Amino acid sequence: VAEPAIWPVLRTHVLRTYNPEEASLFVVGFSPFLLDGLTCPGFPSSPKKYEAEVVKKLSNDKWYKKKGGFDHMIFMMRFGVKMGAPLKQMLDSGSLIVTTDRLFWNLVKVLPNIFKNNSLVIAPYVAPYYLDTTPPGEPEMQEKHPDTWYFFAGTYSRRFGGRGNLALLSQHLSAGFVNFTDLRVPKTITPNNGLLQHSFEIVGQAAAGIRRSSVCMSPQGDAVTSGRLFEAMAGGCVPVMMAPKDGAPVELPFPSLIDWDSVALFTDNFDAITKVKDGINITGRVLEALVGPHASATAHERLRCMQKEARR
């Protein structure tokens, strides 16, 4: 639900103008997420009508036609993008499409020309909560708590990466210093069943845990990267990215700007680790030596430097 969280921020942004002649970028309030059955007042009653309304308004808008849509930004934050031919043709012919590093590979099947037209913006995959990473009244770097030195909150069930082995890994880390939770955000969300607010509460609790923790596990999920990589960095927690060695380098954003080894630790995913004799035990011992609560003073100083660098 990234778009419903981003739009209110943009509406009140200091750089927003209500005069289209002054604008250099237009944000279109269209979201494929809303095609999944989330009915809201003021929206057309069916996906086809919703798409038709978008196409009609943009086609007749003089500001959209002025640059062929290239200065009109549309968010595409979902798997399995499906759309009718009229909308597909319009978006693929010039609109500026924003997606995340974990979803862009899926868009090429639907909108192949956005790559050729250089009209694709790939953003780090971060939960909406982290648009403002530090709540009012909290210090820039929150004090870390030993009882949640190692942190993970999310579902153990994902298509790739063997994420369920986190439970086994926790047994090879310092007892009393691990906070791993198999947490699931509700799938069926409507304006009336209260689950939207519940999902935000779950994300908020996870964010608070990240800010209190020192080392945050970021195992592979449906894609090579996970949002936890960026959420951990925003919260001052050193991420441990667990992903295939041949996939991680090409999936990380801004490689020319970020020295990733200075802000994160990297290891293979659990699928590979479990193929090695005592692989999970070895992984636990290495983590304990590098960033564990009983590691050397030198290791702890390096950990603090990585936390600060990630926040920077």
Side-chain angles (χ1 to χ4, degrees), residues 129-176:
Y129 187 89
Y130 296 92
L131 291 176
D132 297 304
T133 58
T134 305
E138 288 195 10
E140 181 72 8
M141 281 288 290
Q142 187 170 333
E143 180 183 356
K144 304 300 180 180
H145 291 247
D147 62 342
T148 181
W149 188 280
Y150 296 103
F151 183 80
F152 173 84
T155 176
Y156 281 178
S157 177
R158 275 289 183 257
R159 290 183 293 177
F160 309 110
R163 187 185 287 187
N165 288 289
L166 281 167
L168 293 176
L169 177 62
S170 67
Q171 300 174 17
H172 298 277
L173 302 174
S174 295

Side-chain angles (χ1 to χ4, degrees), residues 262-302:
S262 70
V263 296
L265 298 177
F266 297 87
T267 183
D268 221 325
N269 64 7
F270 280 114
D271 288 340
I273 290 173
T274 53
K275 292 179 181 178
V276 178
K277 184 179 180 180
D278 295 328
I280 292 181
N281 180 27
I282 294 171
T283 301
R285 293 206 308 267
V286 171
L287 286 174
E288 286 285 279
L290 290 177
V291 292
H294 307 299
S296 66
T298 301
H300 282 182
E301 179 60 28
R302 178 172 180 265

Side-chain angles (χ1 to χ4, degrees), residues 173-253:
L173 302 174
S174 295
F177 290 82
V178 181
N179 182 5
F180 291 174
T181 306
D182 185 8
L183 195 63
R184 300 180 183 230
V185 175
K187 289 185 177 181
T188 305
I189 297 175
T190 70
N192 300 320
N193 67 3
L195 292 182
L196 183 60
Q197 179 60 35
H198 179 53
S199 67
F200 281 132
E201 291 173 358
I202 290 176
V203 174
Q205 291 169 7
I210 288 174
R211 291 195 300 272
R212 296 174 66 247
S213 304
S214 298
V215 180
C216 292
M217 310 307 297
S218 179
Q220 180 185 8
D222 293 331
V224 173
T225 56
S226 165
R228 289 167 188 81
L229 173 66
F230 312 108
E231 294 162 1
M233 292 170 62
C237 184
V238 172
V240 179
M241 184 174 177
M242 311 183 76
K245 295 178 180 179
D246 58 344
V250 298
E251 290 280 349
L252 292 172

